[in-house]
Amino acid sequence: MPDALEPLISADDIQRRTDELADEIRREYGDEPILLVGVLKGSLYFLADLSRRLGPNVTIDFVQVSSYGTGKTSSGVVQIRKDLDINIEGLHVLIVEDIVDTGLTLRHLRELLGTRHPQSLRVVSLLVKPEAMQHESTVEYVGFSIPTKFVVGYGLDIGERYRNLPYVAILSPSEP
Ligand code: IMP
Ligand code: MG
């Protein structure tokens, strides 16, 4: 049996919300340059759509961290797989996340990037699971709060599948 996908957030709703987030971010940063730090690979589509709405004064870099294996449960271990290419000292850094679940990944990333003396350090996440947030982690800009369910699409995967769905869906895997 194939996995069951239950649509949760439509492609249109994602685009509308991304417009609003970009407006909010630009209102607060003014014309200041912003370095977007995309967290690979899940933030891929959100970063692409958000960045194109933030005007010309934007640069982009990436980090890759892993806290999950290929399945659905957190290993509790956060590891940097790919670090930033550029020096962020004195820059306005905006971390772009796909989803904040336990908050462990984000806490770790904030700590790490904070030691490099950016001028400011904030986070925008398309999705947050508030019930699951076990670790103190601030998300300044939230796209959608969702229930504590496993979701895929618009960058989010399970075992590298479903990232390219244009919408976000709740995944109920088929029984083996
Ligand atoms: P956290 O450290 O528990 O906040 O989770 C961090 C990472 O786990 C996210 O950036 C995602 O890559 C992954 N993750 C958490 N929840 C989901 C989900 O529902 N679907 C897909 N990936 C998820
Ligand atoms: Mg992620």
Side-chain angles (χ1 to χ4, degrees):
M1 255 204 353
D3 296 334
L5 296 174
E6 180 193 329
L8 180 68
I9 307 170
S10 72
D12 282 351
D13 285 349
I14 293 171
Q15 296 307 317
R16 262 194 295 275
R17 187 69 188 117
T18 305
D19 276 338
E20 293 172 0
L21 286 171
D23 286 351
E24 195 184 333
I25 290 166
R26 264 307 170 207
R27 261 201 310 279
E28 293 183 10
Y29 286 80
D31 292 332
E32 293 284 309
I34 305 173
L35 171 68
L36 300 177
V37 171
V39 184
L40 292 170
K41 303 173 195 171
S43 68
L44 169 70
Y45 297 95
F46 182 45
L47 177 84
D49 285 339
L50 182 70
S51 60
R52 283 179 290 183
R53 290 165 161 92
L54 288 174
N57 234 346
V58 163
T59 51
I60 295 172
D61 202 352
F62 294 99
V63 289
Q64 185 163 23
V65 291
S66 57
S67 63
Y68 276 43
T70 50
K72 284 200 206 174
T73 48
S74 178
S75 65
V77 179
V78 177
Q79 203 191 342
I80 301 284
R81 288 211 197 139
K82 185 224 167 286
D83 205 335
L84 293 172
D85 292 333
I86 69 162
N87 179 359
I88 62 171
E89 190 172 343
L91 303 184
H92 290 294
V93 174
L94 182 58
I95 298 173
V96 182
E97 263 285 22
D98 50 356
I99 189 165
V100 178
D101 182 358
T102 63
L104 188 68
T105 308
L106 196 56
R107 193 185 63 178
H108 188 86
L109 250 186
R110 262 192 192 273
E111 274 171 20
L112 177 75
L113 299 188
T115 63
R116 299 179 184 178
H117 310 294
Q119 186 168 337
S120 68
L121 183 57
R122 293 185 186 173
V123 178
V124 55
S125 186
L126 179 71
L127 308 173
V128 293
K129 294 182 187 172
E131 289 167 37
M133 273 235 218
Q134 298 158 16
H135 300 273
E136 193 187 314
S137 49
T138 313
V139 181
E140 282 83 358
Y141 307 99
V142 173
F144 301 90
S145 292
I146 64 164
T148 308
K149 298 264 173 67
F150 197 84
V151 293
V152 295
Y154 198 68
L156 292 146
D157 74 308
I158 182 157
E160 297 301 327
R161 293 189 62 205
Y162 301 119
R163 288 194 198 276
N164 63 333
L165 281 182
Y167 58 94
V168 172
I170 296 171
L171 178 87
S172 317
S174 58
E175 295 301 320

Short mmCIF file of all heavy atoms in Angstrom, two decimals, residues 67-68 74 97-106 129 149-152 156-157, ligand 1:
data_model
loop_
_atom_site.label_atom_id
_atom_site.label_comp_id
_atom_site.label_asym_id
_atom_site.label_seq_id
_atom_site.Cartn_x
_atom_site.Cartn_y
_atom_site.Cartn_z
N SER A 67 19.82 16.00 12.96
CA SER A 67 19.42 15.57 14.29
C SER A 67 18.55 14.33 14.16
O SER A 67 18.28 13.64 15.13
CB SER A 67 18.64 16.66 15.00
OG SER A 67 17.46 16.95 14.31
N TYR A 68 18.13 14.07 12.95
CA TYR A 68 17.26 12.92 12.69
C TYR A 68 18.03 11.94 11.81
O TYR A 68 18.88 12.35 11.05
CB TYR A 68 16.02 13.35 11.90
CG TYR A 68 14.90 13.89 12.75
CD1 TYR A 68 15.15 14.78 13.79
CD2 TYR A 68 13.59 13.52 12.50
CE1 TYR A 68 14.13 15.29 14.55
CE2 TYR A 68 12.56 14.02 13.26
CZ TYR A 68 12.83 14.91 14.29
OH TYR A 68 11.81 15.40 15.03
N SER A 74 13.80 11.70 16.59
CA SER A 74 15.02 12.45 16.79
C SER A 74 16.04 11.58 17.49
O SER A 74 15.74 10.86 18.43
CB SER A 74 14.74 13.68 17.63
OG SER A 74 15.93 14.38 17.86
N GLU A 97 14.36 28.08 8.41
CA GLU A 97 14.09 26.67 8.72
C GLU A 97 12.80 26.21 8.07
O GLU A 97 11.89 27.00 7.84
CB GLU A 97 13.95 26.51 10.25
CG GLU A 97 15.21 26.04 10.95
CD GLU A 97 15.51 24.56 10.73
OE1 GLU A 97 15.03 23.96 9.75
OE2 GLU A 97 16.24 24.00 11.58
N ASP A 98 12.73 24.93 7.80
CA ASP A 98 11.48 24.35 7.31
C ASP A 98 10.51 24.12 8.47
O ASP A 98 9.35 24.47 8.41
CB ASP A 98 11.75 23.03 6.57
CG ASP A 98 12.63 22.06 7.37
OD1 ASP A 98 13.12 22.42 8.48
OD2 ASP A 98 12.84 20.93 6.89
N ILE A 99 11.03 23.53 9.55
CA ILE A 99 10.14 23.16 10.66
C ILE A 99 10.93 23.12 11.96
O ILE A 99 12.11 22.75 11.97
CB ILE A 99 9.48 21.78 10.37
CG1 ILE A 99 8.39 21.46 11.39
CG2 ILE A 99 10.51 20.66 10.32
CD1 ILE A 99 7.47 20.32 10.96
N VAL A 100 10.30 23.57 13.03
CA VAL A 100 10.89 23.42 14.35
C VAL A 100 10.01 22.45 15.12
O VAL A 100 8.83 22.70 15.34
CB VAL A 100 11.00 24.77 15.09
CG1 VAL A 100 11.58 24.57 16.48
CG2 VAL A 100 11.86 25.74 14.29
N ASP A 101 10.61 21.35 15.50
CA ASP A 101 9.87 20.30 16.19
C ASP A 101 10.23 20.34 17.67
O ASP A 101 9.61 21.05 18.45
CB ASP A 101 10.19 18.96 15.53
CG ASP A 101 9.44 17.79 16.14
OD1 ASP A 101 8.70 18.00 17.12
OD2 ASP A 101 9.60 16.65 15.67
N THR A 102 11.27 19.63 18.09
CA THR A 102 11.68 19.69 19.49
C THR A 102 12.41 21.00 19.81
O THR A 102 12.50 21.40 20.97
CB THR A 102 12.63 18.54 19.85
OG1 THR A 102 13.82 18.67 19.08
CG2 THR A 102 11.99 17.19 19.59
N GLY A 103 12.96 21.63 18.79
CA GLY A 103 13.71 22.86 19.00
C GLY A 103 15.19 22.61 19.25
O GLY A 103 15.98 23.54 19.39
N LEU A 104 15.58 21.37 19.28
CA LEU A 104 16.96 20.99 19.58
C LEU A 104 17.93 21.49 18.51
O LEU A 104 18.97 22.07 18.81
CB LEU A 104 17.05 19.47 19.69
CG LEU A 104 18.37 18.89 20.18
CD1 LEU A 104 18.61 19.24 21.65
CD2 LEU A 104 18.38 17.36 20.00
N THR A 105 17.58 21.27 17.26
CA THR A 105 18.43 21.69 16.15
C THR A 105 18.65 23.20 16.19
O THR A 105 19.77 23.69 16.07
CB THR A 105 17.78 21.33 14.79
OG1 THR A 105 17.42 19.96 14.81
CG2 THR A 105 18.72 21.61 13.64
N LEU A 106 17.57 23.92 16.41
CA LEU A 106 17.63 25.36 16.40
C LEU A 106 18.45 25.91 17.56
O LEU A 106 19.24 26.84 17.39
CB LEU A 106 16.20 25.90 16.48
CG LEU A 106 16.05 27.34 16.10
CD1 LEU A 106 16.61 27.58 14.72
CD2 LEU A 106 14.59 27.73 16.16
N LYS A 129 5.90 23.11 15.50
CA LYS A 129 5.02 22.21 16.24
C LYS A 129 5.13 22.63 17.70
O LYS A 129 6.02 22.18 18.42
CB LYS A 129 5.50 20.77 16.11
CG LYS A 129 5.42 20.18 14.72
CD LYS A 129 5.89 18.73 14.78
CE LYS A 129 6.01 18.10 13.44
NZ LYS A 129 6.65 16.76 13.51
N LYS A 149 2.15 16.23 14.33
CA LYS A 149 2.03 15.12 13.37
C LYS A 149 3.25 15.17 12.47
O LYS A 149 3.87 16.22 12.34
CB LYS A 149 0.78 15.31 12.50
CG LYS A 149 -0.53 15.30 13.26
CD LYS A 149 -1.13 13.90 13.20
CE LYS A 149 -2.35 13.76 14.09
NZ LYS A 149 -3.49 14.56 13.63
N PHE A 150 3.56 14.06 11.84
CA PHE A 150 4.69 14.05 10.91
C PHE A 150 4.23 14.54 9.55
O PHE A 150 3.29 13.99 8.97
CB PHE A 150 5.32 12.67 10.80
CG PHE A 150 6.69 12.73 10.19
CD1 PHE A 150 7.80 13.00 10.98
CD2 PHE A 150 6.86 12.55 8.82
CE1 PHE A 150 9.06 13.09 10.41
CE2 PHE A 150 8.13 12.64 8.25
CZ PHE A 150 9.23 12.91 9.05
N VAL A 151 4.89 15.59 9.03
CA VAL A 151 4.47 16.17 7.75
C VAL A 151 5.58 16.07 6.71
O VAL A 151 6.76 16.00 7.04
CB VAL A 151 4.03 17.64 7.91
CG1 VAL A 151 2.76 17.74 8.73
CG2 VAL A 151 5.13 18.49 8.53
N VAL A 152 5.16 16.08 5.46
CA VAL A 152 6.10 16.04 4.33
C VAL A 152 5.66 17.07 3.28
O VAL A 152 4.54 17.58 3.33
CB VAL A 152 6.17 14.64 3.67
CG1 VAL A 152 6.75 13.61 4.63
CG2 VAL A 152 4.81 14.21 3.15
N LEU A 156 10.06 19.22 3.01
CA LEU A 156 10.12 18.22 4.10
C LEU A 156 10.02 16.81 3.55
O LEU A 156 9.23 16.52 2.66
CB LEU A 156 8.98 18.48 5.08
CG LEU A 156 9.13 19.78 5.85
CD1 LEU A 156 7.78 20.40 6.14
CD2 LEU A 156 9.90 19.52 7.13
N ASP A 157 10.81 15.92 4.15
CA ASP A 157 10.91 14.57 3.60
C ASP A 157 10.71 13.50 4.66
O ASP A 157 10.73 13.77 5.86
CB ASP A 157 12.32 14.36 3.03
CG ASP A 157 13.36 14.19 4.15
OD1 ASP A 157 13.40 15.06 5.05
OD2 ASP A 157 14.09 13.19 4.15
P1 IMP B 1 13.96 19.44 15.92
O1 IMP B 1 15.43 19.47 16.21
O2 IMP B 1 13.26 18.37 16.68
O3 IMP B 1 13.30 20.80 16.11
O4 IMP B 1 13.75 19.00 14.42
C1 IMP B 1 14.58 19.46 13.46
C2 IMP B 1 14.47 18.78 12.13
O5 IMP B 1 13.77 17.53 12.15
C3 IMP B 1 13.72 19.63 11.16
O6 IMP B 1 14.51 20.68 10.66
C4 IMP B 1 13.34 18.61 10.12
O7 IMP B 1 14.41 18.39 9.24
C5 IMP B 1 13.07 17.36 10.94
N1 IMP B 1 11.61 17.22 11.22
C6 IMP B 1 10.96 17.49 12.36
N2 IMP B 1 9.63 17.25 12.24
C7 IMP B 1 9.45 16.84 10.97
C8 IMP B 1 8.28 16.46 10.21
O8 IMP B 1 7.13 16.46 10.66
N3 IMP B 1 8.51 16.09 8.92
C9 IMP B 1 9.75 16.09 8.34
N4 IMP B 1 10.85 16.44 9.02
C10 IMP B 1 10.72 16.82 10.31
#
